[in-house]
Amino acid sequence: NAGVTQTPKFQVLKTGQSMTLQCAQDMNHNSMYWYRQDPGMGLRLIYYSASEGTTDKGEVPNGYNVSRLNKREFSLRLESAAPSQTSVYFCASGTGTHSGNTIYFGEGSWLTVV
Amino acid sequence: AQSVTQLDSHVSVSEGTPVLLRCNYSSSYSPSLFWYVQHPNKGLQLLLKYTSAATLVKGINGFEAEFKKSETSFHLTKPSAHMSDAAEYFCVRDNYGQNFVFGPGTRLSVLP
């Protein structure tokens, strides 16, 4: 019962480097999400995908791109990392975009940009 | 945009005493509401959710929350705190069914 799996769990990047965070879910969920968590700010939505083939910006999309590769996978890319992107990143999946939708989270990816 | 307010950034209780974590939401419509718990360096686990059925919702580990539309509140309670309850708690609402909005979190400390 893997649920939502994110990789890598830890990563250190230099300013300007690029990287992709991978996320996969095995619950056959339609919706997938990427959040970032910063102290005192809760979780803020970066991008989400309501269904395979669609993506939408969330609250803090600048500096990120996403790809919904298929129903299972939703990746987050940092093209040119900045220290302000140091954060914990959480991928989540949910049953759909309707009332009653519940989301389930991965274990998180700790990213440090130096 | 919809919003969630958690009135306390930190709550400290003694083991065996009641827990109250407060949450208020913005009220353009009656949302789905959730409480999630996050233990240190872990992901978020669903405690309970409200989706317009019974206003008193029971969750895991003895937690419950009451939806009060007149007060736009969804406070989380537990009759008796346990050491293992020490964690960060997030109140969450849906955003027109499209995605989810998180409160800033409340850190619960449980003293022996």
Side-chain angles (χ1 to χ4, degrees), chain B residues 8 10-22 35 47 61-65 75-87 89 106-111:
Chain B
D8 306 293
H10 182 213
V11 169
S12 185
V13 301
S14 297
E15 190 174 22
T17 64
V19 175
L20 170 65
L21 305 182
R22 297 182 291 169
W35 277 97
L47 274 179
N61 300 334
F63 285 94
E64 62 181 37
H75 300 336
L76 181 70
T77 60
K78 183 173 181 177
S80 176
H82 191 272
M83 296 296 289
S84 61
D85 295 327
Y89 290 80
T106 298
R107 182 165 60 92
L108 175 65
S109 297
V110 181
L111 307 175

PDB file of all heavy atoms in Angstrom, chain B residues 8 10-22 35 47 61-65 75-87 89 106-111:
ATOM      1  N   ASP B   8      -4.401  29.913  16.975  1.00  0.00           N
ATOM      2  CA  ASP B   8      -3.252  29.726  17.847  1.00  0.00           C
ATOM      3  C   ASP B   8      -2.115  29.092  17.069  1.00  0.00           C
ATOM      4  O   ASP B   8      -2.308  28.047  16.456  1.00  0.00           O
ATOM      5  CB  ASP B   8      -3.609  28.827  19.041  1.00  0.00           C
ATOM      6  CG  ASP B   8      -4.811  29.352  19.789  1.00  0.00           C
ATOM      7  OD1 ASP B   8      -4.697  30.432  20.388  1.00  0.00           O
ATOM      8  OD2 ASP B   8      -5.869  28.692  19.760  1.00  0.00           O
ATOM      9  N   HIS B  10       0.562  28.009  18.599  1.00  0.00           N
ATOM     10  CA  HIS B  10       1.107  26.999  19.501  1.00  0.00           C
ATOM     11  C   HIS B  10       0.149  26.804  20.663  1.00  0.00           C
ATOM     12  O   HIS B  10      -0.320  27.785  21.261  1.00  0.00           O
ATOM     13  CB  HIS B  10       2.486  27.434  20.017  1.00  0.00           C
ATOM     14  CG  HIS B  10       3.145  26.437  20.908  1.00  0.00           C
ATOM     15  ND1 HIS B  10       3.967  26.813  21.958  1.00  0.00           N
ATOM     16  CD2 HIS B  10       3.110  25.080  20.924  1.00  0.00           C
ATOM     17  CE1 HIS B  10       4.406  25.713  22.572  1.00  0.00           C
ATOM     18  NE2 HIS B  10       3.906  24.652  21.954  1.00  0.00           N
ATOM     19  N   VAL B  11      -0.150  25.547  20.962  1.00  0.00           N
ATOM     20  CA  VAL B  11      -0.980  25.196  22.107  1.00  0.00           C
ATOM     21  C   VAL B  11      -0.213  24.177  22.937  1.00  0.00           C
ATOM     22  O   VAL B  11       0.350  23.220  22.387  1.00  0.00           O
ATOM     23  CB  VAL B  11      -2.335  24.613  21.667  1.00  0.00           C
ATOM     24  CG1 VAL B  11      -3.089  24.012  22.843  1.00  0.00           C
ATOM     25  CG2 VAL B  11      -3.182  25.682  20.978  1.00  0.00           C
ATOM     26  N   SER B  12      -0.205  24.376  24.237  1.00  0.00           N
ATOM     27  CA  SER B  12       0.497  23.476  25.131  1.00  0.00           C
ATOM     28  C   SER B  12      -0.489  22.961  26.172  1.00  0.00           C
ATOM     29  O   SER B  12      -1.196  23.758  26.810  1.00  0.00           O
ATOM     30  CB  SER B  12       1.655  24.210  25.813  1.00  0.00           C
ATOM     31  OG  SER B  12       2.418  23.329  26.593  1.00  0.00           O
ATOM     32  N   VAL B  13      -0.563  21.637  26.329  1.00  0.00           N
ATOM     33  CA  VAL B  13      -1.462  21.029  27.308  1.00  0.00           C
ATOM     34  C   VAL B  13      -0.696  19.976  28.093  1.00  0.00           C
ATOM     35  O   VAL B  13       0.351  19.486  27.644  1.00  0.00           O
ATOM     36  CB  VAL B  13      -2.697  20.385  26.638  1.00  0.00           C
ATOM     37  CG1 VAL B  13      -3.490  21.424  25.843  1.00  0.00           C
ATOM     38  CG2 VAL B  13      -2.299  19.210  25.762  1.00  0.00           C
ATOM     39  N   SER B  14      -1.243  19.614  29.222  1.00  0.00           N
ATOM     40  CA  SER B  14      -0.669  18.512  29.997  1.00  0.00           C
ATOM     41  C   SER B  14      -1.293  17.196  29.556  1.00  0.00           C
ATOM     42  O   SER B  14      -2.458  17.156  29.145  1.00  0.00           O
ATOM     43  CB  SER B  14      -0.900  18.722  31.492  1.00  0.00           C
ATOM     44  OG  SER B  14      -0.238  19.897  31.937  1.00  0.00           O
ATOM     45  N   GLU B  15      -0.525  16.138  29.647  1.00  0.00           N
ATOM     46  CA  GLU B  15      -1.044  14.815  29.297  1.00  0.00           C
ATOM     47  C   GLU B  15      -2.278  14.515  30.131  1.00  0.00           C
ATOM     48  O   GLU B  15      -2.315  14.769  31.343  1.00  0.00           O
ATOM     49  CB  GLU B  15       0.037  13.758  29.529  1.00  0.00           C
ATOM     50  CG  GLU B  15      -0.313  12.387  28.984  1.00  0.00           C
ATOM     51  CD  GLU B  15       0.834  11.397  29.109  1.00  0.00           C
ATOM     52  OE1 GLU B  15       1.718  11.618  29.956  1.00  0.00           O
ATOM     53  OE2 GLU B  15       0.850  10.418  28.352  1.00  0.00           O
ATOM     54  N   GLY B  16      -3.325  14.002  29.469  1.00  0.00           N
ATOM     55  CA  GLY B  16      -4.553  13.667  30.173  1.00  0.00           C
ATOM     56  C   GLY B  16      -5.577  14.786  30.230  1.00  0.00           C
ATOM     57  O   GLY B  16      -6.708  14.564  30.641  1.00  0.00           O
ATOM     58  N   THR B  17      -5.212  15.990  29.812  1.00  0.00           N
ATOM     59  CA  THR B  17      -6.153  17.120  29.806  1.00  0.00           C
ATOM     60  C   THR B  17      -6.718  17.318  28.401  1.00  0.00           C
ATOM     61  O   THR B  17      -6.161  16.821  27.422  1.00  0.00           O
ATOM     62  CB  THR B  17      -5.485  18.415  30.283  1.00  0.00           C
ATOM     63  OG1 THR B  17      -4.449  18.779  29.365  1.00  0.00           O
ATOM     64  CG2 THR B  17      -4.879  18.231  31.672  1.00  0.00           C
ATOM     65  N   PRO B  18      -7.837  18.055  28.290  1.00  0.00           N
ATOM     66  CA  PRO B  18      -8.471  18.224  26.976  1.00  0.00           C
ATOM     67  C   PRO B  18      -7.644  19.085  26.021  1.00  0.00           C
ATOM     68  O   PRO B  18      -6.875  19.956  26.432  1.00  0.00           O
ATOM     69  CB  PRO B  18      -9.796  18.923  27.307  1.00  0.00           C
ATOM     70  CG  PRO B  18     -10.037  18.642  28.747  1.00  0.00           C
ATOM     71  CD  PRO B  18      -8.686  18.570  29.378  1.00  0.00           C
ATOM     72  N   VAL B  19      -7.863  18.814  24.738  1.00  0.00           N
ATOM     73  CA  VAL B  19      -7.221  19.571  23.670  1.00  0.00           C
ATOM     74  C   VAL B  19      -8.288  20.339  22.907  1.00  0.00           C
ATOM     75  O   VAL B  19      -9.354  19.793  22.595  1.00  0.00           O
ATOM     76  CB  VAL B  19      -6.486  18.628  22.692  1.00  0.00           C
ATOM     77  CG1 VAL B  19      -5.914  19.419  21.511  1.00  0.00           C
ATOM     78  CG2 VAL B  19      -5.371  17.876  23.407  1.00  0.00           C
ATOM     79  N   LEU B  20      -8.009  21.609  22.607  1.00  0.00           N
ATOM     80  CA  LEU B  20      -8.863  22.423  21.741  1.00  0.00           C
ATOM     81  C   LEU B  20      -7.969  23.168  20.775  1.00  0.00           C
ATOM     82  O   LEU B  20      -7.151  23.998  21.180  1.00  0.00           O
ATOM     83  CB  LEU B  20      -9.700  23.412  22.553  1.00  0.00           C
ATOM     84  CG  LEU B  20     -10.453  24.473  21.720  1.00  0.00           C
ATOM     85  CD1 LEU B  20     -11.499  23.816  20.835  1.00  0.00           C
ATOM     86  CD2 LEU B  20     -11.099  25.520  22.629  1.00  0.00           C
ATOM     87  N   LEU B  21      -8.129  22.884  19.490  1.00  0.00           N
ATOM     88  CA  LEU B  21      -7.415  23.610  18.442  1.00  0.00           C
ATOM     89  C   LEU B  21      -8.465  24.319  17.598  1.00  0.00           C
ATOM     90  O   LEU B  21      -9.369  23.678  17.064  1.00  0.00           O
ATOM     91  CB  LEU B  21      -6.581  22.655  17.589  1.00  0.00           C
ATOM     92  CG  LEU B  21      -5.579  21.779  18.349  1.00  0.00           C
ATOM     93  CD1 LEU B  21      -4.785  20.928  17.361  1.00  0.00           C
ATOM     94  CD2 LEU B  21      -4.651  22.597  19.208  1.00  0.00           C
ATOM     95  N   ARG B  22      -8.298  25.627  17.431  1.00  0.00           N
ATOM     96  CA  ARG B  22      -9.354  26.430  16.830  1.00  0.00           C
ATOM     97  C   ARG B  22      -9.102  26.706  15.347  1.00  0.00           C
ATOM     98  O   ARG B  22      -7.957  26.918  14.920  1.00  0.00           O
ATOM     99  CB  ARG B  22      -9.494  27.741  17.596  1.00  0.00           C
ATOM    100  CG  ARG B  22      -9.921  27.533  19.053  1.00  0.00           C
ATOM    101  CD  ARG B  22     -10.101  28.840  19.767  1.00  0.00           C
ATOM    102  NE  ARG B  22      -8.827  29.531  19.965  1.00  0.00           N
ATOM    103  CZ  ARG B  22      -8.740  30.784  20.386  1.00  0.00           C
ATOM    104  NH1 ARG B  22      -9.840  31.491  20.635  1.00  0.00           N
ATOM    105  NH2 ARG B  22      -7.553  31.347  20.566  1.00  0.00           N
ATOM    106  N   TRP B  35      -9.170  18.224   8.959  1.00  0.00           N
ATOM    107  CA  TRP B  35      -8.021  18.391   9.842  1.00  0.00           C
ATOM    108  C   TRP B  35      -6.990  17.328   9.459  1.00  0.00           C
ATOM    109  O   TRP B  35      -7.322  16.141   9.335  1.00  0.00           O
ATOM    110  CB  TRP B  35      -8.396  18.230  11.301  1.00  0.00           C
ATOM    111  CG  TRP B  35      -8.967  19.461  11.929  1.00  0.00           C
ATOM    112  CD1 TRP B  35     -10.280  19.766  12.110  1.00  0.00           C
ATOM    113  CD2 TRP B  35      -8.237  20.559  12.483  1.00  0.00           C
ATOM    114  NE1 TRP B  35     -10.418  20.988  12.726  1.00  0.00           N
ATOM    115  CE2 TRP B  35      -9.169  21.490  12.971  1.00  0.00           C
ATOM    116  CE3 TRP B  35      -6.873  20.843  12.619  1.00  0.00           C
ATOM    117  CZ2 TRP B  35      -8.801  22.685  13.593  1.00  0.00           C
ATOM    118  CZ3 TRP B  35      -6.503  22.023  13.231  1.00  0.00           C
ATOM    119  CH2 TRP B  35      -7.453  22.935  13.703  1.00  0.00           C
ATOM    120  N   LEU B  47      -6.953  13.380   9.681  1.00  0.00           N
ATOM    121  CA  LEU B  47      -7.577  13.063  10.967  1.00  0.00           C
ATOM    122  C   LEU B  47      -9.078  12.866  10.809  1.00  0.00           C
ATOM    123  O   LEU B  47      -9.652  11.924  11.346  1.00  0.00           O
ATOM    124  CB  LEU B  47      -7.361  14.205  11.963  1.00  0.00           C
ATOM    125  CG  LEU B  47      -6.081  14.242  12.778  1.00  0.00           C
ATOM    126  CD1 LEU B  47      -6.104  15.474  13.675  1.00  0.00           C
ATOM    127  CD2 LEU B  47      -5.927  12.984  13.609  1.00  0.00           C
ATOM    128  N   ASN B  61      -7.853   8.376  16.364  1.00  0.00           N
ATOM    129  CA  ASN B  61      -7.105   8.666  17.602  1.00  0.00           C
ATOM    130  C   ASN B  61      -7.906   9.501  18.604  1.00  0.00           C
ATOM    131  O   ASN B  61      -7.309  10.236  19.403  1.00  0.00           O
ATOM    132  CB  ASN B  61      -5.789   9.380  17.280  1.00  0.00           C
ATOM    133  CG  ASN B  61      -4.888   8.541  16.383  1.00  0.00           C
ATOM    134  OD1 ASN B  61      -4.976   7.318  16.378  1.00  0.00           O
ATOM    135  ND2 ASN B  61      -4.054   9.204  15.614  1.00  0.00           N
ATOM    136  N   GLY B  62      -9.222   9.379  18.601  1.00  0.00           N
ATOM    137  CA  GLY B  62     -10.057  10.050  19.600  1.00  0.00           C
ATOM    138  C   GLY B  62     -10.358  11.504  19.330  1.00  0.00           C
ATOM    139  O   GLY B  62     -10.973  12.183  20.156  1.00  0.00           O
ATOM    140  N   PHE B  63      -9.943  12.030  18.196  1.00  0.00           N
ATOM    141  CA  PHE B  63     -10.225  13.417  17.846  1.00  0.00           C
ATOM    142  C   PHE B  63     -11.628  13.555  17.251  1.00  0.00           C
ATOM    143  O   PHE B  63     -12.138  12.641  16.609  1.00  0.00           O
ATOM    144  CB  PHE B  63      -9.203  13.942  16.840  1.00  0.00           C
ATOM    145  CG  PHE B  63      -7.863  14.250  17.434  1.00  0.00           C
ATOM    146  CD1 PHE B  63      -6.844  13.316  17.414  1.00  0.00           C
ATOM    147  CD2 PHE B  63      -7.633  15.486  18.018  1.00  0.00           C
ATOM    148  CE1 PHE B  63      -5.604  13.596  17.972  1.00  0.00           C
ATOM    149  CE2 PHE B  63      -6.401  15.788  18.574  1.00  0.00           C
ATOM    150  CZ  PHE B  63      -5.376  14.836  18.556  1.00  0.00           C
ATOM    151  N   GLU B  64     -12.214  14.719  17.470  1.00  0.00           N
ATOM    152  CA  GLU B  64     -13.457  15.066  16.810  1.00  0.00           C
ATOM    153  C   GLU B  64     -13.506  16.562  16.562  1.00  0.00           C
ATOM    154  O   GLU B  64     -12.746  17.328  17.166  1.00  0.00           O
ATOM    155  CB  GLU B  64     -14.678  14.598  17.597  1.00  0.00           C
ATOM    156  CG  GLU B  64     -14.841  15.205  18.964  1.00  0.00           C
ATOM    157  CD  GLU B  64     -16.078  14.629  19.658  1.00  0.00           C
ATOM    158  OE1 GLU B  64     -16.378  13.431  19.508  1.00  0.00           O
ATOM    159  OE2 GLU B  64     -16.749  15.397  20.365  1.00  0.00           O
ATOM    160  N   ALA B  65     -14.380  16.969  15.637  1.00  0.00           N
ATOM    161  CA  ALA B  65     -14.521  18.381  15.310  1.00  0.00           C
ATOM    162  C   ALA B  65     -15.988  18.669  15.047  1.00  0.00           C
ATOM    163  O   ALA B  65     -16.722  17.813  14.556  1.00  0.00           O
ATOM    164  CB  ALA B  65     -13.683  18.744  14.087  1.00  0.00           C
ATOM    165  N   HIS B  75     -13.625  23.669  15.008  1.00  0.00           N
ATOM    166  CA  HIS B  75     -12.601  23.443  16.034  1.00  0.00           C
ATOM    167  C   HIS B  75     -12.381  21.952  16.277  1.00  0.00           C
ATOM    168  O   HIS B  75     -13.336  21.151  16.288  1.00  0.00           O
ATOM    169  CB  HIS B  75     -13.011  24.110  17.338  1.00  0.00           C
ATOM    170  CG  HIS B  75     -13.200  25.595  17.239  1.00  0.00           C
ATOM    171  ND1 HIS B  75     -12.580  26.374  16.274  1.00  0.00           N
ATOM    172  CD2 HIS B  75     -13.957  26.444  17.987  1.00  0.00           C
ATOM    173  CE1 HIS B  75     -12.940  27.638  16.432  1.00  0.00           C
ATOM    174  NE2 HIS B  75     -13.773  27.715  17.456  1.00  0.00           N
ATOM    175  N   LEU B  76     -11.135  21.607  16.536  1.00  0.00           N
ATOM    176  CA  LEU B  76     -10.738  20.213  16.783  1.00  0.00           C
ATOM    177  C   LEU B  76     -10.591  19.996  18.275  1.00  0.00           C
ATOM    178  O   LEU B  76      -9.961  20.817  18.971  1.00  0.00           O
ATOM    179  CB  LEU B  76      -9.401  19.931  16.082  1.00  0.00           C
ATOM    180  CG  LEU B  76      -8.845  18.516  16.199  1.00  0.00           C
ATOM    181  CD1 LEU B  76      -9.688  17.534  15.385  1.00  0.00           C
ATOM    182  CD2 LEU B  76      -7.395  18.484  15.720  1.00  0.00           C
ATOM    183  N   THR B  77     -11.134  18.893  18.774  1.00  0.00           N
ATOM    184  CA  THR B  77     -11.052  18.609  20.201  1.00  0.00           C
ATOM    185  C   THR B  77     -10.678  17.163  20.446  1.00  0.00           C
ATOM    186  O   THR B  77     -10.856  16.287  19.579  1.00  0.00           O
ATOM    187  CB  THR B  77     -12.389  18.899  20.918  1.00  0.00           C
ATOM    188  OG1 THR B  77     -13.409  18.071  20.345  1.00  0.00           O
ATOM    189  CG2 THR B  77     -12.785  20.352  20.789  1.00  0.00           C
ATOM    190  N   LYS B  78     -10.155  16.938  21.653  1.00  0.00           N
ATOM    191  CA  LYS B  78      -9.892  15.584  22.137  1.00  0.00           C
ATOM    192  C   LYS B  78     -10.012  15.629  23.642  1.00  0.00           C
ATOM    193  O   LYS B  78      -9.474  16.543  24.280  1.00  0.00           O
ATOM    194  CB  LYS B  78      -8.501  15.109  21.722  1.00  0.00           C
ATOM    195  CG  LYS B  78      -8.197  13.678  22.148  1.00  0.00           C
ATOM    196  CD  LYS B  78      -6.875  13.181  21.586  1.00  0.00           C
ATOM    197  CE  LYS B  78      -6.627  11.736  22.023  1.00  0.00           C
ATOM    198  NZ  LYS B  78      -5.378  11.171  21.443  1.00  0.00           N
ATOM    199  N   PRO B  79     -10.722  14.681  24.242  1.00  0.00           N
ATOM    200  CA  PRO B  79     -10.979  14.768  25.685  1.00  0.00           C
ATOM    201  C   PRO B  79      -9.727  14.653  26.546  1.00  0.00           C
ATOM    202  O   PRO B  79      -9.640  15.278  27.601  1.00  0.00           O
ATOM    203  CB  PRO B  79     -11.922  13.588  25.954  1.00  0.00           C
ATOM    204  CG  PRO B  79     -12.462  13.206  24.637  1.00  0.00           C
ATOM    205  CD  PRO B  79     -11.420  13.552  23.619  1.00  0.00           C
ATOM    206  N   SER B  80      -8.754  13.853  26.084  1.00  0.00           N
ATOM    207  CA  SER B  80      -7.598  13.571  26.932  1.00  0.00           C
ATOM    208  C   SER B  80      -6.353  13.448  26.052  1.00  0.00           C
ATOM    209  O   SER B  80      -6.246  12.517  25.252  1.00  0.00           O
ATOM    210  CB  SER B  80      -7.836  12.276  27.715  1.00  0.00           C
ATOM    211  OG  SER B  80      -6.707  11.926  28.476  1.00  0.00           O
ATOM    212  N   ALA B  81      -5.422  14.356  26.227  1.00  0.00           N
ATOM    213  CA  ALA B  81      -4.226  14.372  25.380  1.00  0.00           C
ATOM    214  C   ALA B  81      -3.265  13.258  25.759  1.00  0.00           C
ATOM    215  O   ALA B  81      -3.091  12.917  26.940  1.00  0.00           O
ATOM    216  CB  ALA B  81      -3.525  15.719  25.496  1.00  0.00           C
ATOM    217  N   HIS B  82      -2.621  12.742  24.736  1.00  0.00           N
ATOM    218  CA  HIS B  82      -1.583  11.732  24.919  1.00  0.00           C
ATOM    219  C   HIS B  82      -0.276  12.288  24.375  1.00  0.00           C
ATOM    220  O   HIS B  82      -0.277  13.131  23.480  1.00  0.00           O
ATOM    221  CB  HIS B  82      -1.983  10.452  24.162  1.00  0.00           C
ATOM    222  CG  HIS B  82      -1.131   9.276  24.475  1.00  0.00           C
ATOM    223  ND1 HIS B  82       0.024   8.995  23.790  1.00  0.00           N
ATOM    224  CD2 HIS B  82      -1.268   8.303  25.406  1.00  0.00           C
ATOM    225  CE1 HIS B  82       0.573   7.901  24.286  1.00  0.00           C
ATOM    226  NE2 HIS B  82      -0.191   7.466  25.261  1.00  0.00           N
ATOM    227  N   MET B  83       0.821  11.811  24.914  1.00  0.00           N
ATOM    228  CA  MET B  83       2.126  12.308  24.466  1.00  0.00           C
ATOM    229  C   MET B  83       2.290  12.177  22.959  1.00  0.00           C
ATOM    230  O   MET B  83       2.890  13.046  22.307  1.00  0.00           O
ATOM    231  CB  MET B  83       3.254  11.561  25.162  1.00  0.00           C
ATOM    232  CG  MET B  83       3.312  11.759  26.668  1.00  0.00           C
ATOM    233  SD  MET B  83       3.642  13.468  27.120  1.00  0.00           S
ATOM    234  CE  MET B  83       5.352  13.615  26.614  1.00  0.00           C
ATOM    235  N   SER B  84       1.740  11.127  22.390  1.00  0.00           N
ATOM    236  CA  SER B  84       1.887  10.892  20.953  1.00  0.00           C
ATOM    237  C   SER B  84       1.087  11.884  20.102  1.00  0.00           C
ATOM    238  O   SER B  84       1.225  11.899  18.876  1.00  0.00           O
ATOM    239  CB  SER B  84       1.456   9.470  20.605  1.00  0.00           C
ATOM    240  OG  SER B  84       0.097   9.273  20.946  1.00  0.00           O
ATOM    241  N   ASP B  85       0.250  12.705  20.737  1.00  0.00           N
ATOM    242  CA  ASP B  85      -0.511  13.720  19.995  1.00  0.00           C
ATOM    243  C   ASP B  85       0.323  14.952  19.659  1.00  0.00           C
ATOM    244  O   ASP B  85      -0.116  15.805  18.881  1.00  0.00           O
ATOM    245  CB  ASP B  85      -1.739  14.166  20.795  1.00  0.00           C
ATOM    246  CG  ASP B  85      -2.748  13.050  20.995  1.00  0.00           C
ATOM    247  OD1 ASP B  85      -2.873  12.196  20.090  1.00  0.00           O
ATOM    248  OD2 ASP B  85      -3.406  13.034  22.057  1.00  0.00           O
ATOM    249  N   ALA B  86       1.489  15.070  20.236  1.00  0.00           N
ATOM    250  CA  ALA B  86       2.353  16.228  19.962  1.00  0.00           C
ATOM    251  C   ALA B  86       2.731  16.229  18.487  1.00  0.00           C
ATOM    252  O   ALA B  86       3.348  15.279  17.992  1.00  0.00           O
ATOM    253  CB  ALA B  86       3.591  16.172  20.828  1.00  0.00           C
ATOM    254  N   ALA B  87       2.326  17.296  17.793  1.00  0.00           N
ATOM    255  CA  ALA B  87       2.505  17.364  16.337  1.00  0.00           C
ATOM    256  C   ALA B  87       2.021  18.727  15.858  1.00  0.00           C
ATOM    257  O   ALA B  87       1.584  19.566  16.651  1.00  0.00           O
ATOM    258  CB  ALA B  87       1.708  16.254  15.647  1.00  0.00           C
ATOM    259  N   TYR B  89      -0.834  20.582  13.516  1.00  0.00           N
ATOM    260  CA  TYR B  89      -2.185  20.294  13.041  1.00  0.00           C
ATOM    261  C   TYR B  89      -2.616  21.387  12.058  1.00  0.00           C
ATOM    262  O   TYR B  89      -2.460  22.584  12.335  1.00  0.00           O
ATOM    263  CB  TYR B  89      -3.161  20.228  14.218  1.00  0.00           C
ATOM    264  CG  TYR B  89      -2.933  19.015  15.088  1.00  0.00           C
ATOM    265  CD1 TYR B  89      -1.906  19.011  16.034  1.00  0.00           C
ATOM    266  CD2 TYR B  89      -3.710  17.867  14.945  1.00  0.00           C
ATOM    267  CE1 TYR B  89      -1.667  17.888  16.821  1.00  0.00           C
ATOM    268  CE2 TYR B  89      -3.481  16.755  15.721  1.00  0.00           C
ATOM    269  CZ  TYR B  89      -2.454  16.770  16.657  1.00  0.00           C
ATOM    270  OH  TYR B  89      -2.221  15.657  17.423  1.00  0.00           O
ATOM    271  N   THR B 106      -1.151  24.734  13.715  1.00  0.00           N
ATOM    272  CA  THR B 106      -1.037  24.901  15.165  1.00  0.00           C
ATOM    273  C   THR B 106      -0.143  23.787  15.689  1.00  0.00           C
ATOM    274  O   THR B 106      -0.407  22.616  15.443  1.00  0.00           O
ATOM    275  CB  THR B 106      -2.401  24.821  15.870  1.00  0.00           C
ATOM    276  OG1 THR B 106      -3.240  25.874  15.408  1.00  0.00           O
ATOM    277  CG2 THR B 106      -2.227  24.925  17.389  1.00  0.00           C
ATOM    278  N   ARG B 107       0.893  24.190  16.380  1.00  0.00           N
ATOM    279  CA  ARG B 107       1.788  23.190  16.982  1.00  0.00           C
ATOM    280  C   ARG B 107       1.275  22.829  18.363  1.00  0.00           C
ATOM    281  O   ARG B 107       1.116  23.715  19.217  1.00  0.00           O
ATOM    282  CB  ARG B 107       3.206  23.718  17.053  1.00  0.00           C
ATOM    283  CG  ARG B 107       4.214  22.711  17.626  1.00  0.00           C
ATOM    284  CD  ARG B 107       5.641  23.148  17.332  1.00  0.00           C
ATOM    285  NE  ARG B 107       5.939  24.447  17.902  1.00  0.00           N
ATOM    286  CZ  ARG B 107       6.462  24.636  19.114  1.00  0.00           C
ATOM    287  NH1 ARG B 107       6.712  23.614  19.892  1.00  0.00           N
ATOM    288  NH2 ARG B 107       6.729  25.852  19.548  1.00  0.00           N
ATOM    289  N   LEU B 108       1.011  21.552  18.556  1.00  0.00           N
ATOM    290  CA  LEU B 108       0.515  21.070  19.844  1.00  0.00           C
ATOM    291  C   LEU B 108       1.662  20.424  20.617  1.00  0.00           C
ATOM    292  O   LEU B 108       2.315  19.507  20.121  1.00  0.00           O
ATOM    293  CB  LEU B 108      -0.607  20.048  19.648  1.00  0.00           C
ATOM    294  CG  LEU B 108      -1.138  19.377  20.910  1.00  0.00           C
ATOM    295  CD1 LEU B 108      -1.815  20.400  21.818  1.00  0.00           C
ATOM    296  CD2 LEU B 108      -2.108  18.246  20.566  1.00  0.00           C
ATOM    297  N   SER B 109       1.902  20.926  21.799  1.00  0.00           N
ATOM    298  CA  SER B 109       2.866  20.320  22.718  1.00  0.00           C
ATOM    299  C   SER B 109       2.100  19.653  23.848  1.00  0.00           C
ATOM    300  O   SER B 109       1.114  20.211  24.349  1.00  0.00           O
ATOM    301  CB  SER B 109       3.803  21.383  23.307  1.00  0.00           C
ATOM    302  OG  SER B 109       4.575  21.983  22.291  1.00  0.00           O
ATOM    303  N   VAL B 110       2.553  18.467  24.251  1.00  0.00           N
ATOM    304  CA  VAL B 110       1.917  17.743  25.351  1.00  0.00           C
ATOM    305  C   VAL B 110       2.962  17.532  26.429  1.00  0.00           C
ATOM    306  O   VAL B 110       3.980  16.875  26.196  1.00  0.00           O
ATOM    307  CB  VAL B 110       1.334  16.394  24.876  1.00  0.00           C
ATOM    308  CG1 VAL B 110       0.656  15.684  26.048  1.00  0.00           C
ATOM    309  CG2 VAL B 110       0.355  16.615  23.731  1.00  0.00           C
ATOM    310  N   LEU B 111       2.690  18.096  27.589  1.00  0.00           N
ATOM    311  CA  LEU B 111       3.637  18.049  28.702  1.00  0.00           C
ATOM    312  C   LEU B 111       3.345  16.854  29.602  1.00  0.00           C
ATOM    313  O   LEU B 111       2.178  16.532  29.839  1.00  0.00           O
ATOM    314  CB  LEU B 111       3.548  19.345  29.508  1.00  0.00           C
ATOM    315  CG  LEU B 111       3.695  20.628  28.701  1.00  0.00           C
ATOM    316  CD1 LEU B 111       3.466  21.848  29.587  1.00  0.00           C
ATOM    317  CD2 LEU B 111       5.061  20.687  28.046  1.00  0.00           C
TER     318      LEU B 111
END
